[in-house]
Amino acid sequence: MKRGDRYDGCILIAAGVSGLPDRNVKFISARNLSVALAIYTGAIWFMGVFRWMLFGSIFFFVSCLVLAAILSLSCLLIAGFREVERTENVQLGTGRLLLSWGVYSAVQIMLLIFNMLPIHVRNLPLQLLSIGNIAALLLFLAFLFITRTKYLEFCTRRKYMNKTDCP
């Protein structure tokens, strides 16, 4: 299978989620899913070493599963932050994070659909969608970073005020 390298960040996501002070169920689920995706990435790397590839419908099926897992992973992270917002009455900026996730998800799904079209039909739309994908991903990552930073600041303030460990 080609393009397995696009999921290499799963190990970093697992480490980042593990470093969050909260033991929120959604954060734990996100960590477990990111570990599973990291194992998948390792398997793709291993297949690449031996030049094994998946083609056709198997490749498409695996691509759909991985896309669903990645979108679920990011949705779990957002849900975890939203839960903290609701229970602790604090603003972490999850509204715009969720909106950027929706745009990113839509572009990812359109890329998957356009990849099924014949090459002469899909070239220009795929190029435009690829640019949109980069923009949507950067926007999502920026909002995720801002939300995470606000969350860590909230946890630090809460700990400083001699309250129990973060939510």
Side-chain angles (χ1 to χ4, degrees), residues 54-166:
L54 297 175
F55 294 102
S57 58
I58 294 174
F59 176 77
F60 181 74
F61 179 71
V62 170
S63 295
C64 288
L65 286 178
V66 170
L67 178 59
I70 288 173
L71 295 179
S72 297
L73 170 63
S74 51
C75 189
L76 280 170
L77 290 173
I78 295 168
F81 287 125
R82 284 185 79 91
E83 187 175 302
V84 171
E85 270 187 338
R86 286 187 193 122
T87 59
E88 299 296 324
N89 196 26
V90 64
Q91 286 295 332
L92 301 177
T94 58
R96 62 183 177 188
L97 181 61
L98 186 59
L99 180 63
S100 66
W101 175 82
V103 171
Y104 173 70
S105 300
V107 171
Q108 286 292 314
I109 291 168
M110 289 183 349
L111 277 169
L112 191 63
I113 291 169
F114 273 96
N115 267 316
M116 295 186 308
L117 298 175
I119 292 177
H120 68 279
V121 175
R122 69 180 179 187
N123 271 346
L124 181 61
L126 278 179
Q127 290 173 352
L128 295 174
L129 282 173
S130 295
I131 293 168
N133 184 42
I134 292 169
L137 177 62
L138 289 175
L139 190 65
F140 174 72
L141 290 175
F143 287 145
L144 182 61
F145 178 78
I146 291 168
T147 298
R148 181 182 177 274
T149 302
K150 287 180 179 180
Y151 172 73
L152 292 176
E153 287 171 358
F154 165 74
C155 288
T156 303
R157 271 194 321 271
R158 185 179 172 113
K159 203 172 192 179
Y160 180 73
M161 292 169 30
N162 293 329
K163 293 190 178 181
T164 60
D165 195 21
C166 202

